Amino acid sequence: MFFYHFGKYLLFLKNVFTKPENFKVYWKEIIREMNLIGVGSLGIIAVISIFLGAVTCIQTAYQLVSNLIPRDIIGVITRDSVILEFSPTISLLVLSGRVGGSISSQLGTMRVTEQIDALEIMGVNSTGFLVLPKIVAAVITIPMLVIISMFLGLMGAYIIGPLTGVISGTEFISGVLRDWNSFIILVALIKTVLFSFLMTSVSAYQGFYTKGGALEVGESSTKAVVYSSVLILFADYLVAQILL
Amino acid sequence: MIELKNVSKSFDSNQVLKNISATFKPGITNMIIGGSGSGKTTLLKCMIGLHDIDAGEINYDGVDFSKLDFKEKIPIRKEIGMLFQSAALFDSMNVEENVLFPLNMFSDWSMEEKLDRVNFCLKRVNLENINKLRISDLSGGMKKRVGIARAIAMQPKYLFCDEPNSGLDPKTSIIIDNLIREITIEYQITTVINSHDMNSVMEIGDHIIFLHQGQNWWEGANTDLIKAANQEVNEFVFASKLMKSKFQ
């Protein structure tokens, strides 16, 4: 069963990446999807990032009870946790529910209401037309969201640290800048691009091959969220193992 | 002209279509009728390439469509218009964008020319000044008419209609039937309609194929249908009291 779906998924991707019939129409779709995926997710990403940063700062401080450890280490740990893990991974897990579920239910509904059949009868490569703009839009906009998320996460920590007295603003900034290595940003962005691709393509695959009616559309959305979340976590481990 | 030669199709061990042969000529309304499970929808889906057939030929003006791959099918598909049972309009687009879609995808006309064509098609189906309406704001009959407008936007040579009257009131059904017939004659399109609505069949069925258990059981015009010496055909045609009182 796994190999059947894996093979089908690869063939699906092959169809997605075939030459578009009309670049102009595809470009319009990409812009529309960028707005839906990127701008539409900005609010939720901003909220979770600020809170994740704040919580990381407080919990790190809670565990560092020794006076021998400099306080600015809280800034170092918060920075690495937010940039390397929370912004790319937690954001993508949240987006797999918001964006992945939406992609799957949209394509599933189009399938059961014969809209995909209508595209195919017209001679349109339905896989390419419906899925490629979503993947391109996600791979472009989600890394931007993640960069915003990193900044807001650190801002959340910077605000909440001095406010609760666990670390001063100067110590936090000093920690964030201590032994700075731009490589962690690169690793985070590699993760983000990979996770974005997995989330959109797996969700689209689940929705595109929906059979039945409203019940099955719901099942496809659930599968899309579950499978893409598991794959994101698996890919997270692989990237960490390989790059760090 | 569309020609079917010994078309067969099975799903696992269930043979749905058995050696169906038929010819659908342009400029007349060809209808496929039959009871539920007789294979009408499967035959239509095989003809438009949504299902692959197991054996036989589906010839579009001499070209065997069933033997072509996806890319080779595209030139013929551009000449096909399809009206779905649910209209299958793209609900993320408004009326104008729906009719514009095939033109945007496949024509190199200017936007002005494309909009002229959209307005012409909408006018042809008696829908004007609704260009910016969302699909969810349309009634069932209006959706079908927008579906027809989208189907004829690319000036198709072949028009397929799957249950065009389902879910419509009798008056709107007649409007849709007449519209399909007028378009068929006006543009000399090869039209194939899948239906089990006897009112439609008697109104516009120039050439009828009656499917029974996946076979081409009976073929003829609507005037011959009521005189057919065939038990299955009679049971289907005169199933309603109205048809009995009118023709028997």
Side-chain angles (χ1 to χ4, degrees):
Chain A
M1 201 63 178
F2 168 77
F3 289 108
Y4 169 78
H5 281 290
F6 184 64
K8 201 171 164 186
Y9 172 72
L10 292 180
L11 289 173
F12 172 76
L13 288 182
K14 182 180 159 262
N15 286 334
V16 168
F17 291 103
T18 49
K19 193 182 160 209
E21 295 88 352
N22 187 324
F23 280 99
K24 218 171 157 185
V25 177
Y26 273 60
W27 177 243
K28 274 186 189 167
E29 279 298 299
I30 289 170
I31 299 294
R32 201 173 67 87
E33 293 292 344
M34 282 170 82
N35 186 41
L36 283 174
I37 296 171
V39 180
S41 308
L42 192 57
I44 182 81
I45 290 296
V47 171
I48 62 158
S49 302
I50 291 169
F51 281 100
L52 274 175
V55 170
T56 310
C57 178
I58 292 170
Q59 289 192 354
T60 310
Y62 172 73
Q63 288 172 65
L64 297 178
V65 288
S66 170
N67 286 330
L68 296 172
I69 302 170
R71 300 300 289 170
D72 68 352
I73 205 77
I74 296 169
V76 176
I77 294 173
T78 304
R79 175 198 73 195
D80 286 353
S81 304
V82 166
I83 293 178
L84 267 178
E85 191 59 25
F86 293 143
S87 283
T89 310
I90 304 292
S91 300
L92 261 293
L93 286 175
V94 171
L95 288 180
S96 72
R98 191 202 169 271
V99 178
S102 154
I103 287 174
S104 174
S105 56
Q106 184 201 338
L107 294 181
T109 307
M110 287 187 81
R111 170 64 77 193
V112 300
T113 55
E114 298 177 309
Q115 293 176 48
I116 292 179
D117 290 346
L119 282 171
E120 282 174 7
I121 288 163
M122 284 177 201
V124 176
N125 170 15
S126 57
T127 345
F129 176 71
L130 294 171
V131 182
L132 185 64
K134 293 184 198 320
I135 293 180
V136 173
V139 166
I140 293 172
T141 55
I142 294 178
M144 293 180 193
L145 283 178
V146 166
I147 289 171
I148 294 171
S149 162
M150 291 170 187
F151 175 74
L152 291 176
L154 294 177
M155 282 303 289
Y158 178 68
I159 293 165
I160 216 73
L163 214 62
T164 52
V166 296
I167 186 172
S168 70
T170 324
E171 282 172 325
F172 183 78
I173 297 288
S174 156
V176 167
L177 296 176
R178 191 203 239 194
D179 301 327
W180 171 259
N181 184 355
S182 307
F183 183 64
I184 59 168
I185 299 275
L186 181 69
V187 173
L189 290 179
I190 289 171
K191 277 185 178 186
T192 308
V193 170
L194 180 65
F195 299 168
S196 306
F197 175 79
L198 281 174
M199 179 197 70
T200 40
S201 60
V202 168
S203 303
Y205 173 81
Q206 289 300 329
F208 195 82
Y209 292 109
T210 302
K211 275 181 188 168
L215 186 70
E216 286 78 8
V217 172
E219 280 174 7
S220 295
S221 296
T222 309
K223 279 185 191 170
V225 176
V226 172
Y227 293 164
S228 47
S229 300
V230 171
L231 280 169
I232 284 170
L233 293 172
F234 181 66
D236 188 27
Y237 161 72
L238 280 183
V239 174
Q241 183 73 50
I242 294 166
L243 293 180
L244 295 176
Chain B
M1 187 168 77
I2 303 170
E3 210 178 350
L4 309 181
K5 286 183 186 168
N6 302 316
V7 171
S8 295
K9 172 72 185 169
S10 299
F11 293 105
D12 298 322
S13 59
N14 179 23
Q15 192 173 11
V16 182
L17 302 177
K18 296 168 190 164
N19 288 316
I20 292 184
S21 295
T23 302
F24 303 106
K25 291 179 181 162
I28 59 169
T29 42
N30 301 281
M31 296 188 95
I32 302 170
I33 64 170
S36 297
S38 59
K40 301 188 300 289
T41 302
T42 305
L43 181 59
L44 201 75
K45 286 190 171 179
C46 287
M47 287 172 73
I48 56 181
L50 287 178
H51 288 326
D52 291 326
I53 55 172
D54 300 333
E57 289 177 20
I58 297 169
N59 292 313
Y60 281 76
D61 290 310
V63 179
D64 188 357
F65 186 65
S66 62
K67 301 285 187 294
L68 306 177
D69 65 25
F70 183 83
K71 276 189 182 170
E72 291 168 331
K73 278 177 182 167
I74 290 175
I76 293 178
R77 281 192 155 143
K78 284 181 192 169
E79 296 184 321
I80 293 177
M82 173 87 193
L83 174 63
F84 283 87
Q85 190 173 352
S86 59
L89 299 172
F90 306 126
D91 41 25
S92 59
M93 303 176 189
N94 63 26
V95 169
E96 183 178 280
E97 287 164 342
N98 262 279
V99 185
L100 197 58
F101 182 80
L103 298 168
N104 274 339
M105 216 62 184
F106 298 114
S107 80
D108 47 12
W109 299 354
S110 68
M111 190 41 105
E112 200 183 353
E113 287 172 317
K114 285 190 268 194
L115 285 174
D116 281 348
R117 178 72 190 161
V118 169
N119 289 328
F120 171 81
C121 292
L122 287 173
K123 194 176 174 187
R124 186 66 197 79
V125 297
N126 304 318
L127 289 174
E128 283 178 277
N129 305 318
I130 62 149
N131 295 36
K132 303 296 175 194
L133 283 188
R134 307 297 306 173
I135 298 308
S136 52
D137 296 332
L138 304 179
S139 67
M142 285 166 97
K143 281 182 186 170
K144 292 278 165 92
R145 282 190 277 167
V146 175
I148 295 173
R150 186 178 69 181
I152 62 170
M154 288 289 285
Q155 295 167 304
K157 277 174 79 177
Y158 317 100
L159 178 65
F160 294 91
C161 306
D162 186 18
E163 309 273 5
N165 300 323
S166 71
L168 299 181
D169 64 80
K171 201 177 161 189
T172 313
S173 293
I174 291 168
I175 292 170
I176 298 290
D177 283 343
N178 290 334
L179 192 57
I180 294 170
R181 189 184 170 87
E182 282 165 24
I183 287 166
T184 302
I185 295 168
E186 199 174 325
Y187 305 117
Q188 285 298 296
I189 301 172
T190 304
T191 299
V192 181
I193 303 168
N194 192 349
S195 181
H196 52 222
D197 180 355
M198 282 312 298
N199 285 332
S200 281
V201 175
M202 296 315 293
E203 282 285 330
I204 60 166
D206 296 323
H207 171 229
I208 297 155
I209 285 179
F210 176 79
L211 290 190
H212 179 65
Q213 293 176 347
Q215 295 174 69
N216 184 352
W217 206 255
W218 183 91
E219 203 171 337
N222 56 1
T223 45
D224 303 326
L225 189 68
I226 48 173
K227 295 177 276 182
N230 185 301
Q231 192 193 335
E232 284 78 15
V233 173
N234 288 333
E235 281 174 6
F236 179 82
V237 172
F238 299 111
S240 75
K241 283 180 184 168
L242 183 72
M243 287 297 290
K244 268 184 198 166
S245 62
K246 205 170 174 186
F247 294 107
Q248 266 192 335

